[in-house]
Amino acid sequence: MSAEEQDDDAPAAVAGSPPTLSATDLEAWLSTPRLDTYLFRCGGDAPLALELYRWNSLLAAAALTDTCHLEVALRNAYDRQMAQQFPDWSVDPASRLFTRTQGHGRAVTKQVSLNTGSQRALNDAKRGLGAHPSHGKVVAATMFGFWTKLTDRDRTATFWTPMLRHAFNGSPTRGEVHERVARVNKFRNRLAHNEPVFSSSSGLHDRMRDVDDLFMWVAPAAAGYVRATSTVPSLLAQCPVPGLL
């Protein structure tokens, strides 16, 4: 069809302009409860709510990027310490890393439970990696929660004191490390599910400080690089709803 034959009444497409979505379209996409969260923050303004949702997605992705950089640094720092005493611990069937206990009573019972959970998580990580996966591939496939549980209070004698405390600069306590890692793990899950990062429960600023603290403790040079290249600050400045954060 030539340009002359096109319907003069047809709406002209604007380069780079996204299509307009109706309320029905938005509800079908986001669900009414999720959309209502954004509408509430925007005084019922649907176009602004959509812009807020888009901005939230970009900010969540940026924060997740920084958090994933930390996750890589943290698991490698832990692995270096664990591998000194238990080489290839993730794939060595003779490794005693997750069979050890120390203490008595409740502590041993909890350690046995935690060890069982760690072994299960390692088996989950190995799925799809072939019959004989390398140690490095298994370490890379483990979930953040696996590493979080290594600093549990009941593992002070079996993991923290003999191994993991040496992964940190500045001598933070086990509790300081564990609390931050646990919070970042929950925060990471919220980001991955594209939950609102502007809500008070997400604690965006506090969680990013946790990320920075942990990063500085395990890999200060890399932490400085990630901080300098992060897009979180610029996105925060672009919030479409003034005063939201």
Side-chain angles (χ1 to χ4, degrees):
M1 178 184 294
S2 67
E4 291 79 5
E5 294 174 314
Q6 291 181 7
D7 186 350
D8 291 337
D9 294 330
V14 179
S17 176
T20 300
L21 299 181
S22 68
T24 300
D25 293 329
L26 287 173
E27 290 176 357
W29 173 16
L30 303 178
S31 82
T32 298
R34 178 174 288 235
L35 177 59
D36 283 348
T37 298
Y38 294 88
L39 286 171
F40 174 76
R41 298 286 182 165
C42 297
D45 185 330
L48 182 58
L50 179 56
E51 181 60 22
L52 179 61
Y53 181 78
R54 177 178 175 276
W55 169 82
N56 181 84
S57 298
L58 293 172
L59 182 57
L64 182 59
T65 295
D66 293 355
T67 303
C68 287
H69 288 325
L70 166 66
E71 182 178 0
V72 170
L74 186 72
R75 74 188 181 209
N76 286 335
Y78 281 14
D79 176 47
R80 282 191 295 271
Q81 298 303 322
M82 291 154 63
Q84 287 183 26
Q85 298 185 39
F86 301 91
D88 295 327
W89 54 266
S90 71
V91 293
D92 180 5
S95 176
R96 296 188 61 253
L97 180 60
F98 293 113
T99 62
R100 300 165 308 127
T101 61
Q102 186 170 329
H104 54 82
R106 176 194 173 279
V108 169
T109 300
K110 184 67 182 296
Q111 288 165 13
V112 169
S113 176
L114 288 166
N115 286 341
T116 300
S118 293
Q119 291 169 332
R120 187 181 303 116
L122 280 177
N123 289 333
D124 290 342
K126 292 174 187 175
R127 291 197 179 98
L129 297 181
H132 303 287
S134 68
H135 173 69
K137 285 186 176 181
V138 176
V139 168
T142 52
M143 303 293 285
F144 203 159
F146 169 86
W147 306 100
T148 301
K149 290 181 174 61
L150 295 183
T151 50
D152 185 277
R153 180 185 63 183
D154 289 294
R155 278 176 154 169
T156 300
T158 54
F159 280 86
W160 176 258
T161 300
M163 294 179 289
L164 299 186
R165 66 186 177 92
H166 301 296
F168 296 91
N169 300 290
S171 301
T173 67
R174 181 209 58 80
E176 289 173 329
V177 169
H178 185 72
E179 288 172 3
R180 284 168 174 77
V181 175
R183 290 194 299 253
V184 170
N185 183 37
K186 291 180 181 178
F187 180 57
R188 183 192 185 284
N189 292 336
R190 286 185 62 87
L191 296 174
H193 288 90
N194 205 18
E195 294 296 323
V197 298
F198 54 79
S199 68
S200 59
S201 61
S202 73
L204 175 68
H205 297 291
D206 291 337
R207 296 298 75 76
M208 295 311 294
R209 276 193 290 271
D210 286 338
V211 168
D212 194 56
D213 286 347
L214 288 165
F215 225 143
M216 288 298 295
W217 286 336
V218 295
Y225 176 85
V226 170
R227 185 190 302 131
T229 57
S230 174
T231 58
V232 169
S234 61
L235 283 165
L236 285 171
Q238 298 171 31
C239 180
V241 179
L244 185 61
L245 282 171

